[in-house]
Amino acid sequence: MNSFTHSDIASMQPLGSSVLHFPEGIIGYADVRDAEVKVLEQKKPFSIMKLEDPTGFMNLLVIEPRDFHLNYEPVFFENDLISLGITDKADVALLNVISTEANSADEISVNLIGPFLINRKLKIGKQVVIQNYANYSVKHHIPKAASETKAS
Amino acid sequence: MLVLSRKVNEVILINNNIEVRINRIEGDTVKIGIQAPKQVSIIRKEIALDIAEINAASVLTTKFQNQ
């Protein structure tokens, strides 16, 4: 249940645009509790995640791993699944944060170690550290061919 | 912070279900064995720091402050 294979990831239903709650905040931003994900129709497969805390908001570029065509097989800690009330793989949606390289707009990378784990039914989520983090990077380069459009 | 002295093979018991054993000491490296229920997440702290750093670097715009 806590190990996701490549085919589990590939067969996930898209999360799409949604409003999410992060009861525990996100890593490095403990006060962020609410997020709004908006699919960028012009820049698919990327979405903007607007993160809100009591003082304001900021935006991250995110992608669902079903769309980045990497061999990504995350294993989650059981307590993360339990705390989000996830009892079935079908409940799960994932979002990974994209970074654009400062020196080149063509180069993008994705954080594979700290995805947002989301209970798509309850619309609650948590930024987690995957159990098999040693196999992945917080800054995994994505070849341009892997995504349909580049981030800008 | 609680600070304890332990010798090799001595154990610290946390919450009656987590055991932290000092397995070996080699120079400035301590090998630690941790036995915990599988639902307990155990990570190197620098991993969480790496994620916090990449989150901050990935913010698309400077933060918009509420009026």
Side-chain angles (χ1 to χ4, degrees), chain A residues 10 15 24 27 29 33 38 51 70 100 107 126 130 135 141-143:
Chain A
L15 175 68
E24 297 177 27
I27 299 171
Y29 295 95
R33 289 286 184 281
K38 263 193 199 143
L51 295 167
L70 298 172
T100 50
E107 301 285 318
K126 180 178 179 181
I130 60 173
N135 300 345
H141 175 72
I142 306 186

Side-chain angles (χ1 to χ4, degrees), chain A:
Chain A
M1 163 62 203
N2 57 343
S3 302
F4 281 67
T5 64
H6 183 65
S7 79
D8 289 331
I9 298 282
S11 61
M12 276 184 171
Q13 291 300 308
L15 175 68
S17 296
S18 34
V19 174
L20 302 171
H21 184 63
F22 294 106
E24 297 177 27
I26 73 167
I27 299 171
Y29 295 95
D31 293 334
V32 167
R33 289 286 184 281
D34 295 293
E36 190 179 349
V37 177
K38 263 193 199 143
V39 174
L40 294 172
E41 294 298 338
Q42 306 301 314
K43 295 199 183 294
K44 273 187 173 173
F46 299 104
S47 298
I48 288 280
M49 181 184 250
K50 180 182 173 188
L51 295 167
E52 296 178 63
D53 72 16
T55 63
F57 71 89
M58 59 193 179
N59 293 317
L60 292 176
L61 192 63
V62 294
I63 187 169
E64 294 189 57
R66 62 188 293 280
D67 293 321
F68 56 47
H69 312 298
L70 298 172
N71 191 21
Y72 184 46
E73 301 198 312
V75 179
F76 296 100
F77 284 106
E78 212 165 292
N79 62 333
D80 291 329
L81 297 164
I82 291 168
S83 72
L84 293 169
I86 292 168
T87 54
D88 192 300
K89 280 184 181 174
D91 295 344
V92 172
L94 294 170
L95 290 168
N96 293 70
V97 180
I98 297 285
S99 298
T100 50
E101 306 288 324
N103 299 327
S104 163
D106 291 341
E107 301 285 318
I108 61 171
S109 63
V110 60
N111 176 357
L112 296 179
I113 291 181
F116 290 99
L117 175 67
I118 294 157
N119 180 329
R120 64 168 72 232
K121 283 187 193 149
L122 300 179
K123 305 283 186 199
I124 56 172
K126 180 178 179 181
Q127 190 177 25
V128 301
V129 178
I130 60 173
Q131 209 172 321
N132 52 343
Y133 61 79
N135 300 345
Y136 297 104
S137 161
V138 293
K139 225 173 171 182
H140 184 97
H141 175 72
I142 306 186
K144 274 169 77 180
S147 55
E148 291 161 28
T149 56
K150 70 184 186 206
S152 58

